[in-house]
Amino acid sequence: MTPPTSSTTPTTTYRHNGMVCTDHTLDVPLDHTRPDGGPTITLFAREVVAAEHEHRDPPLLLWLQGGPGCHAERPNAAGAWLRRALKDYRVVLMDQRGTGRSTPADRRTLAVHADAAAAAEYLGHFRADAIVRDAELLRRRLRGDRPWT
């Protein structure tokens, strides 16, 4: 199978409380079985690295917040796990499809569908298998063929 294509928008980088944060957005296929012919949605992720490791290349650690349902933890709420992880990794906080700053799946986005069956079909694209494929597109964008940790 040919890998799905994705387009990207420019990244934004800023410093916050001893961390360097880079916001990434990319368009991913709504339906990964139709990577070149169907609609796309936007995926948001924030890459966080300790300021002292900014110019180093530590391995990437993907954090999934346990959703779907809520956005990924934000660096301004950095708990002990994130501070510890930043000693050895660049942490990627991905807002899974349907959550946070990624394309939402809510009553407004579902209201555009003709009927309940169409809305259900749309929601069928917000499953864990699609989230994993989104993460792989993000990984390839950030690191090419190098794996996640």
Side-chain angles (χ1 to χ4, degrees):
M1 179 172 126
T2 304
T5 58
S6 63
S7 63
T8 61
T9 57
T11 59
T12 302
T13 300
Y14 57 94
R15 295 177 177 280
H16 175 74
N17 201 20
M19 298 174 280
V20 179
C21 303
T22 303
D23 292 352
H24 300 277
T25 58
L26 65 153
D27 293 330
V28 298
L30 172 65
D31 180 351
H32 282 281
T33 66
R34 299 177 51 207
D36 295 320
T40 61
I41 60 173
T42 300
L43 182 72
F44 173 82
R46 181 167 285 129
E47 182 180 353
V48 183
V49 66
E52 62 266 21
H53 300 307
E54 178 181 12
H55 300 293
R56 297 182 192 154
D57 193 21
L60 282 181
L61 177 68
L62 175 64
W63 171 257
L64 298 174
Q65 80 278 10
C70 297
H71 60 74
E73 182 174 347
R74 302 306 194 220
N76 62 348
W81 78 267
L82 180 58
R83 296 273 178 211
R84 173 57 189 96
L86 291 174
K87 292 180 182 200
D88 299 307
Y89 302 99
R90 282 182 183 268
V91 176
V92 177
L93 306 167
M94 185 177 87
D95 285 354
Q96 298 172 27
R97 55 175 54 209
T99 68
R101 289 177 53 185
S102 292
T103 297
D106 58 22
R107 62 184 169 82
R108 287 171 290 190
T109 60
L110 295 177
V112 302
H113 298 283
D115 55 31
E121 180 181 342
Y122 177 77
L123 283 176
H125 298 294
F126 288 76
R127 301 178 343 178
D129 57 330
I131 293 167
V132 169
R133 287 180 167 186
D134 292 344
E136 283 300 294
L137 287 175
L138 178 62
R139 179 190 58 78
R140 283 196 291 274
R141 174 182 174 195
L142 298 176
R143 291 294 193 263
D145 289 332
R146 292 175 26 209
W148 296 109
T149 295

